[in-house]
Structure formats: C-alpha cells, structure tokens
Amino acid sequence: MSKRPMLQFVSTAKEMPLKRDADSRAHDFNEIYAEYAAEKAAEQASRCSQCGVPYCQTHCPLHNNIPDWLRLTAEGRLQEAYEMSQATNTFPEICGRICPQDRLCEGNCVIEQSGHGTVTIGAVEKYITDTAWDNGWVQPIAPREERPESVGIIGAGPGGLAAADVLRRAGVQVTVYDRHDRAGGLLTYGIPGFKLEKDVVMRRVEQLEQGGVEFVLNCNVGVDISFDAIRGKHDAVLIATGVYKSRAMQAPGVGAAGIVRAIDYLTASNRVGFGDSVAEYESGELNASGKRVVVIGGGDTAMDCVRTAIRQGAQSVKCLYRRDRANMPGSQREVQNAEEEGVEFVWLTAPNGFAGNPVEGVMVQKMRLGAPDATGRQSPEVIEGADYVEPADLVIKALGFEPEDLPTLWGETALEVTRWGTIKADFRSHETSLPGVFAVGDIVRGASLVVWAIRDGREAADSILTYLSQPAQVAAE
Ligand SMILES: Cc1cc2nc3c(=O)[nH]c(=O)nc-3n(C[C@H](O)[C@H](O)[C@H](O)COP(=O)(O)OP(=O)(O)OC[C@H]3O[C@@H](n4cnc5c(N)ncnc54)[C@H](O)[C@@H]3O)c2cc1C
Ligand code: SF4
C-alpha cells in the first residue's frame, strides 16, 4: 500500500463504515456497522491533522496515541498501529465499538470543531484490532517469568479483566471470581449484540484464559465464598463488582406484572442470544414480541432496551423521558439509531402511576423545563391537568443503577464507602480503606463507561504490582 500524506480533511469527507439500513437491522442482534475495507480505513485515517497538542488524546480516558496510530494506518503499517494501540488500551476493538466518541475523542477532534467532520477515530481503532485478530497478531499472554504472588479479582467486567491482563503479563497468579456463568460483566450481559457482538468479548476472555488467568464462575462472593476467605487466599484483592441495584420508582401500581427492570430484560435477551433457554423469555415475561412496550428513562440503558424491543418484534415501542432531546443523558447517535428503527420518543413526560395488573397502561404527566437548578440544568416541572394514559403491555424501568451495600453483604464494615454507597478508593492508587484491597470501575465511580473501567483496572494493576513488591509485603508472606 502506498504511503498517504496526512491532513487530507480538506479534500476527503468524513465517512463512517457502511451502516445497515434500519429495516434489515431491526430483525437481528448483529452489529449495525460493517468493517472498513483496508483502503477506506487508510483514507479516513489520513484525514487526521496531526495536531501538536492532540485534544482527542487528552479527552480519551486512556490517553491513546491516536494521531500516531492514525498515521500508521494511513501508511498501511497496520501491525505497528496495532502494537501502539494496544500499548495503552487493553480492549481497543471494544472501545472502538462502544465508547461515546462524540463526548470523548471525536467530540474534541480539531477538524470536527472547524466544521470538517471528525476523524472517525473509533471506527479506525476497531478496524486496527479486528485486523490484528484476523491476522493472528493478538496472542495469549506469555509472561517472561512466573511470580509466586496471587491476586484475587472479584468481578469479570472490563475493570476486572483489564487488571487481570496487566497482572498476568507481569507473571502474577490471577484468579477472577464472578457470580455469572460467563465472564465479561456488562459487556456480556448488559450491552446488546447490535452494539457489541458477543464473540468479540468471548475471544478476549479466552485469550486471558489461555494466558493463565483462572476464572471461577457461578461464584457469588458473599454467598458462595466469603470476602474474608478471598482475602485469605490471595496477596491482594481487587473489587470490580459494578453497580447493579436498579434505582427504585415510587408510583401507584408499580408492582404490577409486566413492569420489569432493564437489567433483567437485557440479561435475558443476551442469554437468548447465547442460545441459553431462559424461562422468563419463553413465558413472555421478559419478551417484547407482539407487545406495546413503554421504556422509562433517557440514558444508554433505556436506548438499549428500546432497540432490543424492536428486534424482539414489539407491536410498538415508546420511550418516556422527563426532559427534552437536548437534555437527555443518552448518546444522540443512539437516539438517532433508535428513531430510524421505529422507536417513538415522547419527550417531557414522566410516569406517575400504572393501570391494571398485569399492566395495561402508564399514567403519564406532561412536563415542561423550568428554571435551571444549582448545576445549571433546567428542572422538569409538571404541567397540571395534562395527564393521559399511555397503553402498555410491557413497561421497562431504566432509571439508572446504584451500588449494592457491599460492607453489609460481605460482613466487612471496615470497607469504607461514600455517601452514595460507592467504595471509597484513592483516585490514583485505587487502594481502599482495607490494606491490600483495591477497587475499580462502576463500584467506585457509580454507573460510568467501559473505557473508564479499563483505565482504572490498568492503573490499579500497576498499584498492586507496587504493593506486592514492598519489602513489608514479602516479609508478611
Ligand atoms: C445496558 C447498558 C449499556 C451500556 N452501554 C455502554 C456503552 O455503550 N458504552 C460504554 O462505555 N459503557 C456502557 N455501559 C456502562 C458500562 O457497561 C460499565 O460502565 C462497565 O461495564 C463497568 O465495568 P465494571 O468492570 O466496573 O463492572 P461490570 O461490567 O458491571 O462488571 C462487574 C462484574 O462483577 C460481577 N459481580 C458483582 N458482584 C459480584 C459478587 N458479589 N461476586 C462475584 N461477582 C460479582 C458481576 O456479575 C459482573 O460480571 C452500559 C451499561 C449498561 C447497563
Ligand atoms: S478508547 Fe474511546 S475515547 Fe479513547 S480513542 Fe478509543 S474510542 Fe476514543
């Protein structure tokens, strides 16, 4: 492949990989974007303006060397691009697929801000590492030496897996415990296949297994084994358990049959995608087929629910959100995808009760945006006398997640938490109030992003290596 000059953004337009049309993608759970052809990836990478101070890199939580791997891609030096990309990111092909790039790297791309359209950083990042997998460049970890120390990681989501990768590369003995039957955390059972196909996650889990990481699955820490026992077995422990308590909703009739939690709905759908037999799906309890579906919430979880319901063959899918489009937390890209697929957004609406059991309808209040609150965000206010009933056979609550009360569940009151219930951990070292116990990802940050969990996991692994090397630590063994 010939070398391409960079800075081609003036003459070459931004082009994403081909997106499947809404009709075809609404019937399956496969990803909606195709892969770039090699020539197109090189062309799009060559649009980068190679800024001296790259804002994309600054706004990437992993500080990926984006301009450098874009240049290598433009020059056709893909193996070098892969080496550089994976040096800062444990799962580049996953971030390339599901990071909200419009808020991170691409949103801060200088040529985006000058009106030329961002470099398609995420799509190129995905292309580089998918190509690496296709060419056999991604190999199992082979540590140069085995170390005697062992680390127990609780939680096999992106935070736990990123830490496992770094620790195992250093030769540490790593055991990852998870209460699910498959590793991957929300990558496996939360995020739907149309955003992240499951074999992309499973090949990473296999890579870690082949490199010597031990997985203990179906193991709920605090139930099947005590936290204390895990501490006793390992020289250091990392807590990466995520946040799973669904935010509660107070409204008359909220306990009716047919009103379900987003996490249960999405987990069932993902299990079905793996070929598992799921009783609640078979019975219709967690299956939108033929139903009038109402999803409550405006975040990424709500977006995943509405788009899953479309694919399950719902009769209609409506999303109720109490603010307007401009003020919703979910990605605008996902709203657009959902609208293309047939989802109706009912902005400025909030439920205040449910009719029937099983549910037949949602009592809806209409809202308007009032004065900005202390954070500068306009607060929704009820418009009196404008209530109506929205017919529904399945209501999915997607109101966000809170941490479980780990100190109580695990009988470890010395594990300090914040007033929100998240684990208190040093923001650099990730060490908790318990010596030798570290914590990362959503259980520390509250519901966040995959890329932040990966960053935390990598950083915590470095801190754990330092901790294991301390003379006091060796003497204690
Ligand atoms: C529906 C949905 C869609 C999302 N979409 C995106 C997206 O598009 N892009 C993005 O960047 N982020 C997205 N997120 C957020 C992202 O998935 C999380 O921020 C990220 O997965 C957090 O990683 P983690 O490792 O901290 O925890 P998790 O991924 O939640 O993993 C925690 C693991 O710990 C295990 N565990 C918990 N308690 C125990 C216990 N007691 N014993 C044993 N194991 C335990 C769980 O089974 C789980 O496997 C989404 C989240 C949801 C819910
Ligand atoms: S990891 Fe996420 S934020 Fe960083 S370059 Fe990749 S897509 Fe952008």
mmCIF file with all atom_site columns, all heavy atoms in Angstrom, residues 58-77:
data_model
loop_
_atom_site.group_PDB
_atom_site.id
_atom_site.type_symbol
_atom_site.label_atom_id
_atom_site.label_alt_id
_atom_site.label_comp_id
_atom_site.label_asym_id
_atom_site.label_entity_id
_atom_site.label_seq_id
_atom_site.pdbx_PDB_ins_code
_atom_site.Cartn_x
_atom_site.Cartn_y
_atom_site.Cartn_z
_atom_site.occupancy
_atom_site.B_iso_or_equiv
_atom_site.pdbx_formal_charge
_atom_site.auth_seq_id
_atom_site.auth_comp_id
_atom_site.auth_asym_id
_atom_site.auth_atom_id
_atom_site.pdbx_PDB_model_num
ATOM 1   N N   . THR A 1 58 ? -6.106  13.899 24.690 1.00 0.00 ? 58 THR A N   1
ATOM 2   C CA  . THR A 1 58 ? -6.337  14.424 26.028 1.00 0.00 ? 58 THR A CA  1
ATOM 3   C C   . THR A 1 58 ? -7.695  13.975 26.544 1.00 0.00 ? 58 THR A C   1
ATOM 4   O O   . THR A 1 58 ? -7.857  13.690 27.720 1.00 0.00 ? 58 THR A O   1
ATOM 5   C CB  . THR A 1 58 ? -6.336  15.973 25.994 1.00 0.00 ? 58 THR A CB  1
ATOM 6   O OG1 . THR A 1 58 ? -5.294  16.393 25.148 1.00 0.00 ? 58 THR A OG1 1
ATOM 7   C CG2 . THR A 1 58 ? -6.208  16.573 27.364 1.00 0.00 ? 58 THR A CG2 1
ATOM 8   N N   . HIS A 1 59 ? -8.696  13.921 25.642 1.00 0.00 ? 59 HIS A N   1
ATOM 9   C CA  . HIS A 1 59 ? -10.050 13.598 26.083 1.00 0.00 ? 59 HIS A CA  1
ATOM 10  C C   . HIS A 1 59 ? -10.368 12.110 26.003 1.00 0.00 ? 59 HIS A C   1
ATOM 11  O O   . HIS A 1 59 ? -11.488 11.707 26.288 1.00 0.00 ? 59 HIS A O   1
ATOM 12  C CB  . HIS A 1 59 ? -11.074 14.409 25.285 1.00 0.00 ? 59 HIS A CB  1
ATOM 13  C CG  . HIS A 1 59 ? -11.092 15.846 25.722 1.00 0.00 ? 59 HIS A CG  1
ATOM 14  N ND1 . HIS A 1 59 ? -10.237 16.792 25.196 1.00 0.00 ? 59 HIS A ND1 1
ATOM 15  C CD2 . HIS A 1 59 ? -11.811 16.477 26.672 1.00 0.00 ? 59 HIS A CD2 1
ATOM 16  C CE1 . HIS A 1 59 ? -10.447 17.951 25.788 1.00 0.00 ? 59 HIS A CE1 1
ATOM 17  N NE2 . HIS A 1 59 ? -11.387 17.785 26.688 1.00 0.00 ? 59 HIS A NE2 1
ATOM 18  N N   . CYS A 1 60 ? -9.393  11.302 25.620 1.00 0.00 ? 60 CYS A N   1
ATOM 19  C CA  . CYS A 1 60 ? -9.557  9.846  25.712 1.00 0.00 ? 60 CYS A CA  1
ATOM 20  C C   . CYS A 1 60 ? -9.112  9.449  27.113 1.00 0.00 ? 60 CYS A C   1
ATOM 21  O O   . CYS A 1 60 ? -7.973  9.742  27.504 1.00 0.00 ? 60 CYS A O   1
ATOM 22  C CB  . CYS A 1 60 ? -8.691  9.147  24.666 1.00 0.00 ? 60 CYS A CB  1
ATOM 23  S SG  . CYS A 1 60 ? -8.502  7.384  24.997 1.00 0.00 ? 60 CYS A SG  1
ATOM 24  N N   . PRO A 1 61 ? -9.969  8.794  27.904 1.00 0.00 ? 61 PRO A N   1
ATOM 25  C CA  . PRO A 1 61 ? -9.572  8.432  29.264 1.00 0.00 ? 61 PRO A CA  1
ATOM 26  C C   . PRO A 1 61 ? -8.286  7.596  29.327 1.00 0.00 ? 61 PRO A C   1
ATOM 27  O O   . PRO A 1 61 ? -7.594  7.590  30.337 1.00 0.00 ? 61 PRO A O   1
ATOM 28  C CB  . PRO A 1 61 ? -10.771 7.634  29.782 1.00 0.00 ? 61 PRO A CB  1
ATOM 29  C CG  . PRO A 1 61 ? -11.930 8.201  29.018 1.00 0.00 ? 61 PRO A CG  1
ATOM 30  C CD  . PRO A 1 61 ? -11.386 8.480  27.649 1.00 0.00 ? 61 PRO A CD  1
ATOM 31  N N   . LEU A 1 62 ? -7.956  6.896  28.228 1.00 0.00 ? 62 LEU A N   1
ATOM 32  C CA  . LEU A 1 62 ? -6.740  6.078  28.219 1.00 0.00 ? 62 LEU A CA  1
ATOM 33  C C   . LEU A 1 62 ? -5.557  6.829  27.615 1.00 0.00 ? 62 LEU A C   1
ATOM 34  O O   . LEU A 1 62 ? -4.462  6.277  27.512 1.00 0.00 ? 62 LEU A O   1
ATOM 35  C CB  . LEU A 1 62 ? -6.993  4.791  27.427 1.00 0.00 ? 62 LEU A CB  1
ATOM 36  C CG  . LEU A 1 62 ? -7.999  3.844  28.065 1.00 0.00 ? 62 LEU A CG  1
ATOM 37  C CD1 . LEU A 1 62 ? -8.529  2.843  27.054 1.00 0.00 ? 62 LEU A CD1 1
ATOM 38  C CD2 . LEU A 1 62 ? -7.359  3.116  29.244 1.00 0.00 ? 62 LEU A CD2 1
ATOM 39  N N   . HIS A 1 63 ? -5.784  8.065  27.195 1.00 0.00 ? 63 HIS A N   1
ATOM 40  C CA  . HIS A 1 63 ? -4.759  8.867  26.517 1.00 0.00 ? 63 HIS A CA  1
ATOM 41  C C   . HIS A 1 63 ? -4.099  8.080  25.389 1.00 0.00 ? 63 HIS A C   1
ATOM 42  O O   . HIS A 1 63 ? -2.875  8.056  25.234 1.00 0.00 ? 63 HIS A O   1
ATOM 43  C CB  . HIS A 1 63 ? -3.699  9.360  27.520 1.00 0.00 ? 63 HIS A CB  1
ATOM 44  C CG  . HIS A 1 63 ? -4.310  10.190 28.618 1.00 0.00 ? 63 HIS A CG  1
ATOM 45  N ND1 . HIS A 1 63 ? -5.162  11.232 28.371 1.00 0.00 ? 63 HIS A ND1 1
ATOM 46  C CD2 . HIS A 1 63 ? -4.217  10.108 29.953 1.00 0.00 ? 63 HIS A CD2 1
ATOM 47  C CE1 . HIS A 1 63 ? -5.571  11.755 29.509 1.00 0.00 ? 63 HIS A CE1 1
ATOM 48  N NE2 . HIS A 1 63 ? -5.032  11.095 30.494 1.00 0.00 ? 63 HIS A NE2 1
ATOM 49  N N   . ASN A 1 64 ? -4.936  7.420  24.614 1.00 0.00 ? 64 ASN A N   1
ATOM 50  C CA  . ASN A 1 64 ? -4.423  6.673  23.461 1.00 0.00 ? 64 ASN A CA  1
ATOM 51  C C   . ASN A 1 64 ? -3.615  7.585  22.539 1.00 0.00 ? 64 ASN A C   1
ATOM 52  O O   . ASN A 1 64 ? -3.973  8.748  22.350 1.00 0.00 ? 64 ASN A O   1
ATOM 53  C CB  . ASN A 1 64 ? -5.597  6.103  22.651 1.00 0.00 ? 64 ASN A CB  1
ATOM 54  C CG  . ASN A 1 64 ? -6.208  4.887  23.311 1.00 0.00 ? 64 ASN A CG  1
ATOM 55  O OD1 . ASN A 1 64 ? -5.569  4.228  24.124 1.00 0.00 ? 64 ASN A OD1 1
ATOM 56  N ND2 . ASN A 1 64 ? -7.442  4.596  22.963 1.00 0.00 ? 64 ASN A ND2 1
ATOM 57  N N   . ASN A 1 65 ? -2.565  7.027  21.937 1.00 0.00 ? 65 ASN A N   1
ATOM 58  C CA  . ASN A 1 65 ? -1.738  7.811  21.000 1.00 0.00 ? 65 ASN A CA  1
ATOM 59  C C   . ASN A 1 65 ? -2.421  7.873  19.643 1.00 0.00 ? 65 ASN A C   1
ATOM 60  O O   . ASN A 1 65 ? -1.932  7.333  18.638 1.00 0.00 ? 65 ASN A O   1
ATOM 61  C CB  . ASN A 1 65 ? -0.356  7.164  20.854 1.00 0.00 ? 65 ASN A CB  1
ATOM 62  C CG  . ASN A 1 65 ? 0.383   7.170  22.175 1.00 0.00 ? 65 ASN A CG  1
ATOM 63  O OD1 . ASN A 1 65 ? 0.384   8.178  22.875 1.00 0.00 ? 65 ASN A OD1 1
ATOM 64  N ND2 . ASN A 1 65 ? 0.975   6.037  22.533 1.00 0.00 ? 65 ASN A ND2 1
ATOM 65  N N   . ILE A 1 66 ? -3.554  8.539  19.615 1.00 0.00 ? 66 ILE A N   1
ATOM 66  C CA  . ILE A 1 66 ? -4.434  8.483  18.438 1.00 0.00 ? 66 ILE A CA  1
ATOM 67  C C   . ILE A 1 66 ? -3.754  9.000  17.156 1.00 0.00 ? 66 ILE A C   1
ATOM 68  O O   . ILE A 1 66 ? -3.745  8.293  16.141 1.00 0.00 ? 66 ILE A O   1
ATOM 69  C CB  . ILE A 1 66 ? -5.754  9.244  18.721 1.00 0.00 ? 66 ILE A CB  1
ATOM 70  C CG1 . ILE A 1 66 ? -6.460  8.620  19.925 1.00 0.00 ? 66 ILE A CG1 1
ATOM 71  C CG2 . ILE A 1 66 ? -6.667  9.250  17.496 1.00 0.00 ? 66 ILE A CG2 1
ATOM 72  C CD1 . ILE A 1 66 ? -7.569  9.467  20.530 1.00 0.00 ? 66 ILE A CD1 1
ATOM 73  N N   . PRO A 1 67 ? -3.161  10.195 17.170 1.00 0.00 ? 67 PRO A N   1
ATOM 74  C CA  . PRO A 1 67 ? -2.580  10.681 15.896 1.00 0.00 ? 67 PRO A CA  1
ATOM 75  C C   . PRO A 1 67 ? -1.520  9.719  15.362 1.00 0.00 ? 67 PRO A C   1
ATOM 76  O O   . PRO A 1 67 ? -1.409  9.548  14.139 1.00 0.00 ? 67 PRO A O   1
ATOM 77  C CB  . PRO A 1 67 ? -1.941  12.023 16.290 1.00 0.00 ? 67 PRO A CB  1
ATOM 78  C CG  . PRO A 1 67 ? -2.672  12.450 17.516 1.00 0.00 ? 67 PRO A CG  1
ATOM 79  C CD  . PRO A 1 67 ? -3.019  11.191 18.246 1.00 0.00 ? 67 PRO A CD  1
ATOM 80  N N   . ASP A 1 68 ? -0.778  9.061  16.255 1.00 0.00 ? 68 ASP A N   1
ATOM 81  C CA  . ASP A 1 68 ? 0.283   8.164  15.791 1.00 0.00 ? 68 ASP A CA  1
ATOM 82  C C   . ASP A 1 68 ? -0.295  6.915  15.130 1.00 0.00 ? 68 ASP A C   1
ATOM 83  O O   . ASP A 1 68 ? 0.144   6.502  14.058 1.00 0.00 ? 68 ASP A O   1
ATOM 84  C CB  . ASP A 1 68 ? 1.210   7.776  16.958 1.00 0.00 ? 68 ASP A CB  1
ATOM 85  C CG  . ASP A 1 68 ? 2.061   8.953  17.406 1.00 0.00 ? 68 ASP A CG  1
ATOM 86  O OD1 . ASP A 1 68 ? 2.091   9.961  16.666 1.00 0.00 ? 68 ASP A OD1 1
ATOM 87  O OD2 . ASP A 1 68 ? 2.675   8.886  18.486 1.00 0.00 ? 68 ASP A OD2 1
ATOM 88  N N   . TRP A 1 69 ? -1.308  6.296  15.788 1.00 0.00 ? 69 TRP A N   1
ATOM 89  C CA  . TRP A 1 69 ? -1.835  5.095  15.120 1.00 0.00 ? 69 TRP A CA  1
ATOM 90  C C   . TRP A 1 69 ? -2.699  5.424  13.904 1.00 0.00 ? 69 TRP A C   1
ATOM 91  O O   . TRP A 1 69 ? -2.852  4.608  13.001 1.00 0.00 ? 69 TRP A O   1
ATOM 92  C CB  . TRP A 1 69 ? -2.429  4.043  16.038 1.00 0.00 ? 69 TRP A CB  1
ATOM 93  C CG  . TRP A 1 69 ? -3.380  4.317  17.146 1.00 0.00 ? 69 TRP A CG  1
ATOM 94  C CD1 . TRP A 1 69 ? -3.115  4.207  18.479 1.00 0.00 ? 69 TRP A CD1 1
ATOM 95  C CD2 . TRP A 1 69 ? -4.788  4.640  17.080 1.00 0.00 ? 69 TRP A CD2 1
ATOM 96  N NE1 . TRP A 1 69 ? -4.244  4.468  19.232 1.00 0.00 ? 69 TRP A NE1 1
ATOM 97  C CE2 . TRP A 1 69 ? -5.286  4.730  18.395 1.00 0.00 ? 69 TRP A CE2 1
ATOM 98  C CE3 . TRP A 1 69 ? -5.674  4.867  16.032 1.00 0.00 ? 69 TRP A CE3 1
ATOM 99  C CZ2 . TRP A 1 69 ? -6.611  5.040  18.709 1.00 0.00 ? 69 TRP A CZ2 1
ATOM 100 C CZ3 . TRP A 1 69 ? -6.994  5.170  16.323 1.00 0.00 ? 69 TRP A CZ3 1
ATOM 101 C CH2 . TRP A 1 69 ? -7.443  5.258  17.643 1.00 0.00 ? 69 TRP A CH2 1
ATOM 102 N N   . LEU A 1 70 ? -3.199  6.639  13.834 1.00 0.00 ? 70 LEU A N   1
ATOM 103 C CA  . LEU A 1 70 ? -3.890  7.040  12.591 1.00 0.00 ? 70 LEU A CA  1
ATOM 104 C C   . LEU A 1 70 ? -2.878  7.164  11.450 1.00 0.00 ? 70 LEU A C   1
ATOM 105 O O   . LEU A 1 70 ? -3.111  6.709  10.332 1.00 0.00 ? 70 LEU A O   1
ATOM 106 C CB  . LEU A 1 70 ? -4.625  8.368  12.799 1.00 0.00 ? 70 LEU A CB  1
ATOM 107 C CG  . LEU A 1 70 ? -5.908  8.302  13.644 1.00 0.00 ? 70 LEU A CG  1
ATOM 108 C CD1 . LEU A 1 70 ? -6.431  9.699  13.950 1.00 0.00 ? 70 LEU A CD1 1
ATOM 109 C CD2 . LEU A 1 70 ? -6.996  7.476  12.959 1.00 0.00 ? 70 LEU A CD2 1
ATOM 110 N N   . ARG A 1 71 ? -1.719  7.764  11.776 1.00 0.00 ? 71 ARG A N   1
ATOM 111 C CA  . ARG A 1 71 ? -0.697  7.918  10.725 1.00 0.00 ? 71 ARG A CA  1
ATOM 112 C C   . ARG A 1 71 ? -0.217  6.543  10.247 1.00 0.00 ? 71 ARG A C   1
ATOM 113 O O   . ARG A 1 71 ? -0.106  6.291  9.046  1.00 0.00 ? 71 ARG A O   1
ATOM 114 C CB  . ARG A 1 71 ? 0.485   8.742  11.258 1.00 0.00 ? 71 ARG A CB  1
ATOM 115 C CG  . ARG A 1 71 ? 1.569   8.998  10.218 1.00 0.00 ? 71 ARG A CG  1
ATOM 116 C CD  . ARG A 1 71 ? 2.683   9.875  10.761 1.00 0.00 ? 71 ARG A CD  1
ATOM 117 N NE  . ARG A 1 71 ? 3.128   9.478  12.102 1.00 0.00 ? 71 ARG A NE  1
ATOM 118 C CZ  . ARG A 1 71 ? 3.924   8.458  12.383 1.00 0.00 ? 71 ARG A CZ  1
ATOM 119 N NH1 . ARG A 1 71 ? 4.403   7.718  11.412 1.00 0.00 ? 71 ARG A NH1 1
ATOM 120 N NH2 . ARG A 1 71 ? 4.254   8.176  13.631 1.00 0.00 ? 71 ARG A NH2 1
ATOM 121 N N   . LEU A 1 72 ? 0.033   5.638  11.188 1.00 0.00 ? 72 LEU A N   1
ATOM 122 C CA  . LEU A 1 72 ? 0.495   4.294  10.803 1.00 0.00 ? 72 LEU A CA  1
ATOM 123 C C   . LEU A 1 72 ? -0.562  3.588  9.948  1.00 0.00 ? 72 LEU A C   1
ATOM 124 O O   . LEU A 1 72 ? -0.242  2.871  8.997  1.00 0.00 ? 72 LEU A O   1
ATOM 125 C CB  . LEU A 1 72 ? 0.812   3.464  12.059 1.00 0.00 ? 72 LEU A CB  1
ATOM 126 C CG  . LEU A 1 72 ? 2.063   3.922  12.827 1.00 0.00 ? 72 LEU A CG  1
ATOM 127 C CD1 . LEU A 1 72 ? 2.139   3.252  14.204 1.00 0.00 ? 72 LEU A CD1 1
ATOM 128 C CD2 . LEU A 1 72 ? 3.328   3.610  12.022 1.00 0.00 ? 72 LEU A CD2 1
ATOM 129 N N   . THR A 1 73 ? -1.829  3.789  10.272 1.00 0.00 ? 73 THR A N   1
ATOM 130 C CA  . THR A 1 73 ? -2.912  3.179  9.476  1.00 0.00 ? 73 THR A CA  1
ATOM 131 C C   . THR A 1 73 ? -2.928  3.785  8.076  1.00 0.00 ? 73 THR A C   1
ATOM 132 O O   . THR A 1 73 ? -3.060  3.066  7.073  1.00 0.00 ? 73 THR A O   1
ATOM 133 C CB  . THR A 1 73 ? -4.284  3.397  10.164 1.00 0.00 ? 73 THR A CB  1
ATOM 134 O OG1 . THR A 1 73 ? -4.200  2.905  11.502 1.00 0.00 ? 73 THR A OG1 1
ATOM 135 C CG2 . THR A 1 73 ? -5.400  2.685  9.419  1.00 0.00 ? 73 THR A CG2 1
ATOM 136 N N   . ALA A 1 74 ? -2.784  5.091  8.008  1.00 0.00 ? 74 ALA A N   1
ATOM 137 C CA  . ALA A 1 74 ? -2.781  5.754  6.695  1.00 0.00 ? 74 ALA A CA  1
ATOM 138 C C   . ALA A 1 74 ? -1.626  5.239  5.846  1.00 0.00 ? 74 ALA A C   1
ATOM 139 O O   . ALA A 1 74 ? -1.724  5.162  4.621  1.00 0.00 ? 74 ALA A O   1
ATOM 140 C CB  . ALA A 1 74 ? -2.682  7.264  6.883  1.00 0.00 ? 74 ALA A CB  1
ATOM 141 N N   . GLU A 1 75 ? -0.519  4.876  6.502  1.00 0.00 ? 75 GLU A N   1
ATOM 142 C CA  . GLU A 1 75 ? 0.662   4.392  5.767  1.00 0.00 ? 75 GLU A CA  1
ATOM 143 C C   . GLU A 1 75 ? 0.608   2.886  5.522  1.00 0.00 ? 75 GLU A C   1
ATOM 144 O O   . GLU A 1 75 ? 1.552   2.311  4.994  1.00 0.00 ? 75 GLU A O   1
ATOM 145 C CB  . GLU A 1 75 ? 1.931   4.740  6.554  1.00 0.00 ? 75 GLU A CB  1
ATOM 146 C CG  . GLU A 1 75 ? 2.177   6.245  6.591  1.00 0.00 ? 75 GLU A CG  1
ATOM 147 C CD  . GLU A 1 75 ? 3.378   6.645  7.457  1.00 0.00 ? 75 GLU A CD  1
ATOM 148 O OE1 . GLU A 1 75 ? 4.011   5.750  8.066  1.00 0.00 ? 75 GLU A OE1 1
ATOM 149 O OE2 . GLU A 1 75 ? 3.663   7.848  7.513  1.00 0.00 ? 75 GLU A OE2 1
ATOM 150 N N   . GLY A 1 76 ? -0.482  2.249  5.968  1.00 0.00 ? 76 GLY A N   1
ATOM 151 C CA  . GLY A 1 76 ? -0.613  0.804  5.746  1.00 0.00 ? 76 GLY A CA  1
ATOM 152 C C   . GLY A 1 76 ? 0.231   -0.026 6.700  1.00 0.00 ? 76 GLY A C   1
ATOM 153 O O   . GLY A 1 76 ? 0.397   -1.230 6.502  1.00 0.00 ? 76 GLY A O   1
ATOM 154 N N   . ARG A 1 77 ? 0.767   0.606  7.758  1.00 0.00 ? 77 ARG A N   1
ATOM 155 C CA  . ARG A 1 77 ? 1.626   -0.138 8.713  1.00 0.00 ? 77 ARG A CA  1
ATOM 156 C C   . ARG A 1 77 ? 0.748   -0.617 9.864  1.00 0.00 ? 77 ARG A C   1
ATOM 157 O O   . ARG A 1 77 ? 0.872   -0.179 11.006 1.00 0.00 ? 77 ARG A O   1
ATOM 158 C CB  . ARG A 1 77 ? 2.747   0.781  9.184  1.00 0.00 ? 77 ARG A CB  1
ATOM 159 C CG  . ARG A 1 77 ? 3.690   1.140  8.040  1.00 0.00 ? 77 ARG A CG  1
ATOM 160 C CD  . ARG A 1 77 ? 4.463   2.405  8.294  1.00 0.00 ? 77 ARG A CD  1
ATOM 161 N NE  . ARG A 1 77 ? 5.363   2.305  9.434  1.00 0.00 ? 77 ARG A NE  1
ATOM 162 C CZ  . ARG A 1 77 ? 6.045   3.336  9.922  1.00 0.00 ? 77 ARG A CZ  1
ATOM 163 N NH1 . ARG A 1 77 ? 5.930   4.535  9.346  1.00 0.00 ? 77 ARG A NH1 1
ATOM 164 N NH2 . ARG A 1 77 ? 6.836   3.190  10.967 1.00 0.00 ? 77 ARG A NH2 1
#
